[in-house]
Amino acid sequence: DIVSGSNCTVLVEGESGVGKEVISKAIHYNSQRKSKPLVIQNCSGFNENLLDSELFGHIKGSFTGAIRDKKGLFEVADAGTFFLDEVADMSPLLQVKLLRVLQEGTFTRVGATLPQKVDVRIIASTNKKLEELVSLGKFREDLYYRLNGMKIDVPPLRERREDIPSLINYFLNRIVKAHNKTEKTVSDSALNKLLEYNWPGNVRELEKELERLVLMSGKHDIITEDLIAPRIWEAILSAHTERAKKEGNLQEAIIALEKEMITESLIKNNWNK
């Protein structure tokens, strides 16, 4: 809410799947630029050979294959927002060119002679710690400070488990509509298991698991715990066993191991006791 009303450059850091692009869209569509373009580009997807043309455009005849004038991404995003996804994957060449635009606010199309001025807000995201990459010499320090106008750290889902029930309700409503299914609810026992899991893939992984659960539940209105993916069960049970080994006594560790072995057997036999 604070950064949406400003024009400052924003850096969004967080693990893969936490929703960095969703946050970036929320910033743009709640800003004064909401009626202008939002250009989204994954930085690892840039082709080095066509870098200048992609970013800054070119004029007809500037190189072989340039059969017409073409706008670059900065020109397309003029007066709007340019979202640079996974900015840590930018090549050294791209880092230099991006820094120049951020510093001067101008660029020149390939083959052109006159510079063009642009008014573009930059929102960058990364699943890595840029500050650490700077200290290792893998990311330009001057570019880091340009991008780091306001930093938003998005915590992983395991650190905000209180969001999981709301996310489940949101995704279930969306998924049942997309697949023409009847309304679904998650049983209390299934919800407890989903709350226990650490979700290494974060919100994206939760969404995919719920989509799977909706399809697996068939005509049933309630999603039960036995439908939860085996990998989730195994991760939860393994965590229980490890915790019992470290924090509990011998009896607790034996009980945890016995529970893990029984559940693994049930999963392998499709819960047929």
Side-chain angles (χ1 to χ4, degrees):
D1 289 342
I2 293 170
V3 300
S4 291
S6 73
N7 279 315
C8 69
T9 303
V10 181
L11 177 62
V12 186
E13 287 192 351
E15 293 179 7
S16 292
V18 292
K20 298 188 291 295
E21 185 174 323
V22 174
I23 288 171
S24 302
K25 287 178 178 178
I27 293 171
H28 172 76
Y29 290 116
N30 287 284
S31 73
Q32 295 177 344
R33 297 173 180 261
K34 60 186 177 184
S35 60
K36 301 299 181 181
L38 169 63
V39 176
I40 299 174
Q41 175 63 47
N42 189 306
C43 294
S44 59
F46 274 115
N47 184 323
E48 283 283 354
N49 297 325
L50 299 173
L51 183 60
D52 276 348
S53 176
E54 288 293 318
L55 282 177
F56 311 119
H58 61 254
I59 62 173
K60 181 180 177 180
S62 56
F63 56 85
T64 303
I67 57 176
R68 62 176 68 90
D69 289 355
K70 177 194 171 185
K71 287 184 177 181
L73 294 177
F74 272 102
E75 197 172 348
V76 172
D78 191 23
T81 305
F82 196 173
F83 174 51
L84 293 165
D85 192 17
E86 301 305 346
V87 72
D89 295 336
M90 282 196 302
S91 66
L93 178 59
L94 177 55
Q95 291 181 38
V96 172
K97 292 183 178 293
L98 177 60
L99 178 63
R100 188 180 69 197
V101 180
L102 288 173
Q103 287 176 331
E104 301 170 7
T106 60
F107 69 94
T108 304
R109 280 187 179 184
V110 176
T113 55
L114 296 175
Q116 291 181 249
K117 191 168 182 63
V118 286
D119 172 23
V120 176
R121 182 187 197 173
I122 298 291
I123 301 177
S125 81
T126 175
N127 60 10
K128 300 169 184 172
K129 295 291 184 183
L130 280 191
E131 201 167 355
E132 294 177 8
L133 295 179
V134 169
S135 64
L136 294 171
K138 295 181 178 180
F139 198 86
R140 290 183 66 98
E141 186 176 20
D142 45 7
L143 178 57
Y144 168 68
Y145 289 121
R146 282 281 177 179
L147 293 174
N148 194 24
M150 179 70 78
K151 184 159 74 170
I152 298 175
D153 287 305
V154 189
L157 197 54
R158 63 185 172 274
E159 292 178 12
R160 49 186 176 107
R161 295 179 195 270
E162 66 277 7
D163 288 348
I164 292 176
S166 297
L167 287 166
I168 287 173
N169 289 334
Y170 170 74
F171 285 131
L172 279 181
N173 289 332
R174 199 170 78 174
I175 292 164
V176 295
K177 288 177 183 177
H179 293 281
N180 296 316
K181 299 285 186 180
T182 56
E183 189 175 326
K184 304 276 185 180
T185 57
V186 174
S187 70
D188 290 343
S189 57
L191 176 60
N192 288 334
K193 290 301 173 189
L194 296 175
L195 286 168
E196 277 189 73
Y197 183 52
N198 274 337
W199 299 107
N202 293 293
V203 181
R204 184 184 295 123
E205 184 185 6
L206 174 62
E207 180 184 8
K208 293 302 178 186
E209 174 60 16
L210 288 169
E211 186 173 26
R212 178 189 162 280
L213 288 171
V214 167
L215 297 175
M216 290 289 291
S217 62
K219 296 180 180 179
H220 299 286
D221 296 333
I222 298 176
I223 294 170
T224 52
E225 64 176 352
D226 57 296
L227 296 176
I228 294 173
R231 60 181 174 76
I232 293 178
W233 273 101
E234 289 162 8
I236 293 170
L237 292 165
S238 179
H240 283 177
T241 306
E242 286 302 313
R243 193 158 52 244
K245 286 179 183 176
K246 292 177 181 177
E247 300 173 4
N249 54 38
L250 178 60
Q251 185 180 1
E252 289 171 342
I254 291 170
I255 291 170
L257 179 60
E258 185 180 57
K259 186 177 181 181
E260 183 179 355
M261 292 175 70
I262 291 170
T263 307
E264 283 180 357
S265 295
L266 286 169
I267 291 170
K268 287 176 184 176
N269 292 282
N270 296 316
W271 299 90
N272 187 333
K273 294 177 185 179

